């Protein structure tokens, strides 16, 4: 992972931590190009750091979203590309 991607992941994670409750899916959809396995790895690392710093609520929040995204990524890889996009759009619409 290069520095540019790492900075983009960290920026998205910071935005996720600061966004208004209920707007997380919208934020993630706006940055769907960053939602991948590497993001989940960085989220786990940031969550561990937050937990070590005594910020358990933020760490728990990131773990929750990492699990949600991991579930979606696993579903998407199990489907064909057209089905995957359709399912992702349906999930986004339902979330909104």
């Amino acid at each position: 992972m290069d520095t540019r991607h790492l900075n983009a992941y960290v920026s998205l994670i910071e935005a996720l931590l600061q966004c208004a409750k209920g707007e997380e899916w919208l934020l993630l959809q706006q940055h769907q190009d960053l939602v991948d396995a590497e993001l989940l790895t960085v989220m786990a690392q940031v969550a561990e750091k937050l937990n070590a710093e005594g910020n358990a609520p933020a760490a728990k929040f990131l773990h929750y979203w990492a699990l949600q995204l991991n579930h979606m990524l696993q579903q998407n890889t199990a489907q064909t590309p057209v089905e995957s996009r359709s399912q992702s759009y349906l999930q986004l619409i339902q979330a909104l």
Side-chain angles (χ1 to χ4, degrees):
M1 171 183 339
D2 62 31
T3 304
R4 184 174 53 93
H5 276 105
L6 180 60
N7 288 336
Y9 291 138
V10 171
S11 293
L12 177 56
I13 291 167
E14 289 173 350
L16 187 61
L17 286 167
Q18 296 174 6
C19 78
K21 185 176 181 176
E23 294 184 9
E24 298 90 353
W25 282 117
L26 180 59
L27 175 67
L28 291 167
Q29 195 277 331
Q30 291 171 344
H31 298 282
Q32 65 185 351
D33 58 313
L34 295 174
V35 178
D36 58 19
E38 289 181 340
L39 173 65
L40 300 182
T41 300
V42 176
M43 286 177 82
Q45 292 169 346
V46 171
E48 287 177 25
K49 182 179 182 221
L50 289 169
N51 200 35
E53 293 173 349
N55 194 346
K60 185 177 178 180
F61 176 83
L62 283 183
H63 280 297
Y64 168 80
W65 281 103
L67 288 172
Q68 295 296 314
L69 294 173
N70 184 47
H71 181 70
M72 283 183 56
L73 289 173
Q74 286 180 353
Q75 282 184 335
N76 288 344
T77 57
Q79 298 173 352
T80 63
V82 173
E83 292 173 4
S84 175
R85 283 194 306 263
S86 297
Q87 185 64 27
S88 294
Y89 290 140
L90 178 60
Q91 288 174 343
L92 175 63
I93 291 167
Q94 290 173 339
L96 294 174

